[in-house]
Amino acid sequence: MDDAAISRPDSIGVLTSGGDAPGMNAAVRAVVRTALSQGVQVYAIYEGFRGMVEGGDAIRRMRSQDVGGILHRGGTVIGTARSEKFRTREGRRRAAANLLAHGIDALVVIGGDGSLTGANLFRAEWPELLKELVEAGELDASVAEVHPHLRLTGMVGSIDNDMFGTDMTIGADTALHRITEAIDAIHATAASHQRSFVVEVMGRNCGYLALMSALATGANWAFVPENPPQTDDWEGALKEMVQAGRRIGRRSNLVVVAEGARDRHGQPITSERVQKILEEGLGEDTRVTILGHVQRGGATSAFDRNLSTQCGYHAVHELLRLRPDEEPKLIGIRRNRIVSSRLMEAVELTHSVAAHLARQEYDEAMLLRGGSFAESFETLRTLVRAQPSPPIEGEPSLRLAVLHAGGPAPGMNTAARAAVRVGLDRGHTMLGVQRGFKGLRDGDVHELDWMSVSGWVSRGGAELGTSRLVLGAHELECIARTVEEQRIDGLLMIGGLSGYEAAHALLAAREQYPALDVPIVCLPATINNDVPGTELSIGADTALNSIVSDVDKIKQSAVASRRVFVVEVMGKSSGYLALTSGMATGAEHIYTPEEGITLDALQDHVQELNAAFRNGQSLGLVIRAEQADEVYTTPFLWALFEKEGGSLFDVRQAILGHVQTGGNPSPFDRIQATRLAVRGIDYLIDAAIGADHTSAMGGLVAGKVQFTALADAPELLHERAEHPTDVPWFSLRPIADVMAGPGGGR
């Protein structure tokens, strides 16, 4: 066929295959609504490849409302099943015929490496399969000519997070939530009885879930496939580790074991084996908890909902862009950006890790897992110690202070714990400042030891206390005196915008107060996600999950009524929480400070809601950021929609308030807080030893920890005010609009 005859597909199919993973439903929903927004028919293929082979009612044309109400649900509503028939040539030939009966010659497959490999084989065989069908008289030659190739894009649905081409697989974050919640609960009972627990988690040949859950819960050790114990006497080392913990007052011991863990000779390290070692080492009862398939279940986390939605949206656009004979693409997230990569190259790299492990080539396996995996493993090795490493003779010993500032954010304690323990392990004295800059002004500074921060990893709030303080001449003078009297060599500020402003004020006052000539490192901890030098802030993910959980409950309360909810969320001048929570909960309309609210928009939205309810919709959701507009407030929106909705629907408002700042930090916030704190304290040490005492803002930029000069903070804030939508997360806006398009929402 010539180029003029080549066009994008008119019909696409979407299926889920392999093990179920939370977020698959959100991905299916995104594929359906994105395809419809592009004028393309979309079919759901029920029960995966088995449904493709069986055809008939297993391949169903989808409307937007068909995927309403599934965004939050775990598992996959279109089903997944193994298919021995699809493994045969005849089965794949029958599948091709069934797809062409609906004009489908493009697929979005959501599954693991096995499912994606099978889909690619099907794509490669497609021309020959059609030829065989034509020769057998089962397919008209004209139909085969119109559909000579099968286009294919894939998304990885797997809780194991073991696939190349993406930093996070769909379902991994939710599984980490389930594991973390379970271990947090186990910690409480273990400490009550001074008991040891061994927790076994899933992951196949990947230690991601074991490593990250251990890091997020303060576990005493983790056994992962990629990095087995480096000694043959690892059993003795484990006994010594738990005994040392008991000597310093640890009331519980908790070891996380990945299901694929091995020693360096390839022998399995099972939870039962670890249980026996702990019982022999401590002479006390040790319990085993195998979490099993509970890790796959439950409501999908906010991260997985939004990741799946973004991937589904981009998978359709990539599918429509592909040339008919172009190799298939994998859609994933790399460095906090949605990317497309060669599907089979990703599959082959994934298989290579398993091959390295089978050959006991552990260094190569660790290298393939990436730098952040190895960094997290080294961090865990530091944090689980019973006491810090002995100081290195001849190395300078610094006095480093840690404080919080601004509103409380979940993860502040996690970051402080990591900073204190890493600083102590590096041979330095760590100081805790109570009540933020107020405590620094008043000299409320105390030395912290290894056990001072025990239990902080999972605790919400801010154990050191936090405050907002505008620094005038008096405050600066008092702080300079405290810095001098306490012989502080560096400050680590973990907090929000007011903390950044105070830190910059100290930086600007160096010439007037020489004692303030010490390096300062600011780490972002605010649910508003509005500080410079970072794309994500500690606490924002926890707040987002809190909002999503509350909105899910609000929506459930309205099932039996025809109702619109107007929900107000926090964020100050940032619409991050509004936009991300709106997309994660299926809001029809989202109002942010970056865009504001106009009368024209409100008129359109009233008309759209009225039309939707006339067509049978029973629930509406509007998310409004607290500072979206000074005039069009939440009570105003409630009154407007209530009046204009008439008898079609009634309206309720919900202002979620400070519940968004509370609760224990999410696994994501714990991991990122630890990561930022380790890098932040190392930067502070280097700056304090150096001559220029450079001050900086640490943050996550394109998925990496980066440092930006603190002196640049005012300019960056000014740029943000001038161009409020020029932030990476605002790229979600068009996706949210498509998800909430005609017949959308929910």
Side-chain angles (χ1 to χ4, degrees):
M1 299 176 66
D2 58 28
D3 290 343
I6 296 175
S7 62
R8 70 179 194 172
D10 296 319
S11 301
I12 69 173
V14 58
L15 64 99
T16 53
S17 181
D20 65 291
M24 281 183 164
N25 287 325
V28 170
R29 171 180 178 268
V31 169
V32 169
R33 290 187 172 170
T34 304
L36 294 175
S37 75
Q38 295 298 307
V40 176
Q41 295 180 7
V42 58
Y43 293 81
I45 302 169
Y46 283 72
E47 310 306 334
F49 291 116
R50 188 173 77 185
M52 193 187 296
V53 174
E54 293 176 354
D57 192 48
I59 303 177
R60 306 176 198 171
R61 186 171 175 181
M62 303 297 281
R63 303 166 300 168
S64 183
Q65 55 264 43
D66 294 330
V67 290
I70 69 171
L71 177 61
H72 65 289
R73 294 172 61 180
T76 165
V77 296
I78 63 174
T80 178
R82 297 186 183 278
S83 175
E84 291 302 321
K85 289 184 179 179
F86 188 77
R87 295 176 181 271
T88 68
R89 179 86 173 189
E90 172 57 32
R92 294 191 291 275
R93 186 163 53 246
R94 180 50 36 207
N98 289 331
L99 291 182
L100 289 177
H102 300 280
I104 300 170
D105 60 1
L107 289 177
V108 178
V109 176
I110 309 163
D113 59 325
S115 300
L116 296 173
T117 300
N120 182 65
L121 174 63
F122 184 48
R123 180 200 66 87
E125 292 180 345
W126 180 269
E128 290 299 319
L129 295 175
L130 267 58
K131 181 180 178 182
E132 292 169 14
L133 288 168
V134 171
E135 291 174 350
E138 299 176 29
L139 182 69
D140 192 280
S142 62
V143 174
E145 184 180 357
V146 174
H147 305 281
H149 300 282
L150 179 69
R151 294 174 173 94
L152 173 64
T153 59
M155 290 178 269
V156 188
S158 169
I159 69 168
D160 300 332
N161 201 35
D162 60 350
M163 185 81 175
F164 275 79
T166 185
D167 292 336
M168 288 291 288
T169 58
I170 293 169
D173 184 72
T174 304
L176 199 53
H177 272 259
R178 299 292 92 81
I179 296 167
T180 301
E181 290 161 3
I183 295 178
D184 282 351
I186 288 170
H187 264 305
T189 188
S192 299
H193 297 276
Q194 296 195 61
R195 183 172 286 160
S196 297
F197 274 82
V198 181
V199 178
E200 181 179 306
V201 302
M202 289 181 162
R204 293 196 303 176
N205 289 315
C206 182
Y208 175 85
L209 291 177
L211 175 59
M212 296 306 169
S213 63
L215 202 60
T217 59
N220 301 104
W221 195 247
F223 290 99
V224 299
E226 298 88 346
N227 200 321
Q230 299 303 301
T231 174
D232 287 339
D233 188 28
W234 63 268
E235 297 180 352
L238 179 59
K239 290 178 185 178
E240 173 55 32
M241 182 272 291
V242 296
Q243 290 169 349
R246 281 285 191 259
R247 288 194 293 269
I248 63 168
R250 280 183 182 161
R251 291 188 58 83
S252 65
N253 286 297
L254 196 145
V255 177
V256 180
V257 180
E259 61 182 354
R262 301 284 190 275
D263 65 22
R264 64 177 185 163
H265 302 295
Q267 296 302 307
I269 296 178
T270 64
S271 52
E272 292 79 10
R273 187 176 176 186
V274 175
Q275 175 191 30
K276 182 179 179 181
I277 294 165
L278 292 179
E279 287 181 335
E280 292 175 353
L282 293 173
E284 61 187 42
D285 189 24
T286 298
R287 303 292 174 88
V288 172
T289 298
I290 300 175
L291 295 182
H293 283 78
V294 70
Q295 297 162 84
R296 293 188 187 273
T300 308
S301 71
F303 178 91
D304 272 331
R305 297 185 197 190
N306 286 343
L307 172 64
S308 302
T309 299
Q310 292 178 77
C311 287
Y313 173 89
H314 286 280
V316 171
H317 282 280
E318 184 71 11
L319 197 63
L320 300 181
R321 185 202 63 79
L322 284 176
R323 297 187 307 274
D325 58 346
E326 192 171 345
E327 63 181 304
K329 302 297 183 183
L330 180 73
I331 309 301
I333 185 169
R334 299 291 300 273
R335 298 182 179 179
N336 204 33
R337 305 288 190 273
I338 301 300
V339 297
S340 169
S341 58
R342 294 184 178 91
L343 187 148
M344 288 313 297
E345 182 178 296
V347 169
E348 288 164 6
L349 284 168
T350 301
H351 291 166
S352 70
V353 176
H356 283 305
L357 292 175
R359 295 192 296 266
Q360 300 172 29
E361 297 168 350
Y362 301 114
D363 290 342
E364 290 81 355
M366 282 291 285
L367 187 64
L368 286 171
R369 286 288 181 231
S372 62
F373 189 92
E375 181 183 336
S376 296
F377 190 83
E378 289 304 312
T379 297
L380 180 66
R381 291 180 63 175
T382 298
L383 297 179
V384 300
R385 292 191 178 112
Q387 55 189 3
S389 302
I392 301 174
E393 187 175 349
E395 289 290 320
S397 180
L398 305 170
R399 291 173 61 83
L400 306 175
V402 180
L403 74 157
H404 301 305
M412 280 181 162
N413 285 326
T414 314
R417 168 185 178 266
V420 168
R421 288 198 169 176
V422 170
L424 291 170
D425 193 65
R426 304 288 196 263
H428 306 293
T429 299
M430 299 303 297
L431 307 171
V433 182
Q434 297 291 326
R435 300 177 295 115
F437 285 100
K438 287 183 179 179
L440 195 60
R441 177 196 63 189
D442 300 337
D444 195 356
V445 181
H446 307 279
E447 189 170 333
L448 299 171
D449 62 23
W450 195 262
M451 293 302 290
S452 297
V453 293
S454 178
W456 287 17
V457 66
S458 60
R459 202 173 297 170
E463 292 295 308
L464 289 174
T466 185
S467 64
R468 296 182 177 91
L469 180 66
V470 177
L471 302 187
H474 173 68
E475 286 78 16
L476 290 169
E477 182 179 350
C478 292
I479 289 173
R481 185 183 308 119
T482 298
V483 170
E484 189 170 22
E485 290 175 352
Q486 292 287 340
R487 295 177 287 112
I488 294 173
D489 296 307
L491 285 172
L492 182 70
M493 194 290 299
I494 306 165
L497 190 55
S498 65
Y500 279 62
E501 292 169 343
H504 187 268
L506 295 185
L507 179 66
R510 281 181 174 182
E511 290 188 9
Q512 187 176 0
Y513 302 101
L516 297 179
D517 188 17
V518 297
I520 306 169
V521 170
C522 297
L523 298 182
T526 167
I527 69 167
N528 302 327
N529 198 32
D530 61 351
V531 296
T534 189
E535 295 173 2
L536 290 170
S537 297
I538 298 165
D541 184 70
T542 306
L544 176 58
N545 277 283
S546 176
I547 294 167
V548 167
S549 176
D550 287 341
V551 173
D552 282 351
K553 294 171 187 174
I554 288 171
K555 290 167 67 176
Q556 285 179 340
S557 73
V559 168
S561 59
R562 296 171 62 82
R563 183 166 291 169
V564 172
F565 276 94
V566 180
V567 179
E568 179 180 299
V569 302
M570 297 176 83
K572 293 192 175 178
S573 62
S574 169
Y576 175 80
L577 288 178
L579 181 54
T580 53
S581 66
M583 196 164 85
T585 55
E588 277 84 3
H589 302 294
I590 305 168
Y591 301 120
T592 67
E594 288 80 3
E595 298 166 301
I597 307 175
T598 66
L599 181 59
D600 287 344
L602 289 176
Q603 289 176 325
D604 290 342
H605 296 166
V606 166
Q607 293 174 5
E608 289 167 9
L609 283 171
N610 285 347
F613 276 83
R614 287 193 189 98
N615 290 328
Q617 185 169 314
S618 60
L619 171 66
L621 176 63
V622 175
I623 300 288
R624 180 188 178 276
E626 59 182 350
Q627 292 184 11
D629 194 275
E630 293 181 353
V631 176
Y632 301 127
T633 62
T634 299
F636 180 97
L637 296 184
W638 166 75
L640 173 68
F641 292 133
E642 177 75 16
K643 172 67 170 60
E644 298 300 325
S647 61
L648 289 172
F649 54 82
D650 61 8
V651 183
R652 297 289 187 273
Q653 62 177 328
I655 299 176
L656 298 184
H658 284 82
V659 68
Q660 298 160 82
T661 66
N664 294 333
S666 68
F668 182 90
D669 275 333
R670 299 184 199 187
I671 292 164
Q672 298 308 325
T674 301
R675 185 183 177 197
L676 281 167
V678 171
R679 297 289 294 276
I681 205 72
D682 282 342
Y683 186 100
L684 188 63
I685 292 168
D686 290 341
I689 294 174
D692 57 358
H693 291 178
T694 304
S695 293
M697 303 173 290
L700 294 167
V701 180
K704 290 187 174 183
V705 178
Q706 293 187 12
F707 291 90
T708 307
L710 179 57
D712 293 341
E715 181 181 351
L716 292 173
L717 288 170
H718 176 73
E719 290 177 2
R720 169 71 192 277
E722 289 291 311
H723 307 283
T725 60
D726 287 352
V727 286
W729 54 263
F730 212 81
S731 63
L732 299 177
R733 168 50 94 180
I735 304 176
D737 289 342
V738 168
M739 295 304 109
R746 296 176 295 145

